[in-house]
Amino acid sequence: MTPSILIAGATGNTGRAVAQTLPKLLQSSSTLSGYRVIALTRTSSSPAARELAKLPGVEVIEQNWVEITADWLREHQVARVFIASQPEPNQFAVESTFHLNALNAGVKYVVRISTTAANVCPDCPAYHPRQHWAIEALLGSPEFDNLQWTSLQPNIFSTLILSPAAEFIKKYRRTGEQNTLRLILSKDAPVGIIDSDEVGVIAAHLLSQDDTSSHNKSRYVLNGPEDITGMQIVAMVEQHIGTPVKDVRYKDLSFVDTLYEDKYAATKQSKNIIYSSKRAIDTAWEGKCSTSTTSNEILKLYTPKCTPADALKALLEG
């Protein structure tokens, strides 16, 4: 059996693009052209998984990554890994367990998805960036020196920021009526939102490097090609509907209330912890998440191309 590159969460919003991009890149590699690409999914019969199974060079396996052991990794001869864990309260427990198993199994390199760079610190008010900080601290410890790794820190995904605008436009086109346009961004702070697929493409470029040592223990900040403000989103919406938006609410985080009630309330999860995620956007409102923060190393690998206008168009067509 030949060595493999594992994509954990291959049907997710970043993993899918990794699976679509990586096999093509491996073909031109001098050392990795014979590697297998394993795409993990919890449900191999899902439409997304079936589409991945059609890709040349991709093997879809039904397996929940949080249950993967060191023996499983050795059995499948996993040499490199992509992982994008969910921002759940137990994220550190499940992801650190995976990395420990990867270390013990002899995995050589991991590319992981982190979160907004300005938030990855031990005193961030929001709980999930602190978990990313803790995971990166663990990976950076001497005990993990045999496992090379890179953390990708995309500031904010386009879908999160633009979905309310897309839904507003769709409703107006159906009914001719306007409700309140609720935007997460502030009115005037520029933010370099990035398309999740392009984050996956960047991860694939890293995983396909013949020599990953120059990227070891690196934390790369990712942004799209253009900044956007809340006011500019309003202008895009007005262009699509052909009339002024009557009511706009900037810095709207009501989606967190909905998330708690729909997903966490019944599980008795700490409301204090979940609601702390509202503080994650503070750094964007403070102007700390613009395209000026993009890591130069990323631009040498792949330059993101999807503008906010492109991303909104894709949401409207989807």
Side-chain angles (χ1 to χ4, degrees):
M1 185 181 294
T2 56
S4 66
I5 300 177
L6 179 68
I7 305 172
T11 56
N13 61 350
T14 53
R16 182 181 62 251
V18 180
Q20 292 169 338
T21 307
L22 184 56
K24 299 175 185 176
L25 295 175
L26 294 180
Q27 290 175 4
S28 59
S29 169
S30 60
T31 60
L32 307 173
S33 58
Y35 279 46
R36 298 173 296 128
V37 176
I38 297 176
L40 289 190
T41 177
R42 284 180 293 182
T43 309
S44 58
S45 60
S46 70
R50 289 199 298 268
E51 285 300 312
L52 289 182
K54 298 176 184 177
L55 296 175
V58 174
E59 176 187 358
V60 174
I61 295 180
E62 188 172 297
Q63 170 70 50
N64 188 345
W65 69 265
V66 303
E67 302 300 339
I68 283 179
T69 63
D71 286 341
W72 191 99
L73 293 167
R74 282 190 288 264
E75 177 187 347
H76 291 83
Q77 294 193 27
V78 176
R80 300 183 179 188
V81 173
F82 167 82
I83 183 169
S85 55
Q86 295 297 311
E88 300 288 348
N90 68 339
Q91 179 186 358
F92 178 81
V94 296
E95 189 177 341
S96 63
T97 298
F98 179 89
H99 292 308
L100 180 60
N101 287 331
L103 174 70
N104 291 332
V107 172
K108 300 303 181 184
Y109 181 54
V110 172
V111 176
R112 65 179 301 274
I113 302 299
S114 183
T115 189
T116 305
N119 289 337
V120 184
C121 55
D123 60 346
C124 180
Y127 80 91
H128 59 280
R130 293 198 305 272
Q131 295 193 105
H132 283 291
W133 173 84
I135 291 167
E136 291 175 2
L138 175 140
L139 290 171
S141 67
E143 290 82 358
F144 276 79
D145 277 348
N146 288 334
L147 178 63
Q148 295 189 6
W149 58 277
T150 304
S151 263
L152 298 180
Q153 299 176 329
N155 273 333
I156 302 179
F157 288 129
S158 302
T159 300
L160 176 64
I161 297 303
L162 296 176
S163 287
E167 292 306 312
F168 183 95
I169 294 168
K170 288 178 180 179
K171 181 178 180 180
Y172 182 83
R173 288 174 174 175
R174 288 194 312 267
T175 67
E177 298 177 354
Q178 293 191 26
N179 52 3
T180 300
L181 176 56
R182 301 176 181 273
L183 299 177
I184 297 172
L185 297 189
S186 66
K187 184 176 181 178
D188 50 17
V191 179
I193 61 176
I194 186 167
D195 179 72
S196 59
D197 281 347
E198 294 201 301
V199 174
V201 171
I202 291 167
H205 276 79
L206 284 165
L207 289 165
S208 65
Q209 298 295 298
D210 290 323
D211 181 4
T212 60
S213 59
S214 64
H215 303 290
N216 184 31
K217 299 183 179 180
S218 295
R219 301 165 177 84
Y220 293 145
V221 182
L222 277 55
N223 293 292
E226 296 178 5
D227 286 324
I228 189 82
T229 66
M231 187 165 53
Q232 289 172 322
I233 294 175
V234 174
M236 286 199 301
V237 171
E238 292 177 340
Q239 184 177 13
H240 279 279
I241 66 176
T243 189
V245 174
K246 297 177 181 177
D247 185 25
V248 183
R249 184 172 298 175
Y250 298 106
K251 297 185 176 182
D252 184 272
L253 300 177
S254 57
F255 74 95
V256 177
D257 304 295
T258 302
L259 177 67
Y260 177 78
E261 293 300 327
D262 292 348
K263 184 175 181 179
Y264 294 109
T267 67
K268 307 300 182 183
Q269 189 62 251
S270 167
K271 189 174 183 178
N272 187 37
I273 290 176
I274 303 304
Y275 269 65
S276 74
S277 61
K278 288 188 175 186
R279 297 295 306 278
I281 198 66
D282 288 357
T283 49
W285 294 344
E286 293 166 359
K288 297 178 180 178
C289 300
S290 71
T291 55
S292 65
T293 63
T294 305
S295 297
N296 289 329
E297 294 87 348
I298 291 300
L299 299 178
K300 295 175 184 177
L301 285 172
Y302 174 85
T303 302
K305 302 173 180 62
C306 183
T307 66
D310 294 333
L312 180 58
K313 181 181 178 183
L315 287 171
L316 292 173
E317 293 174 349

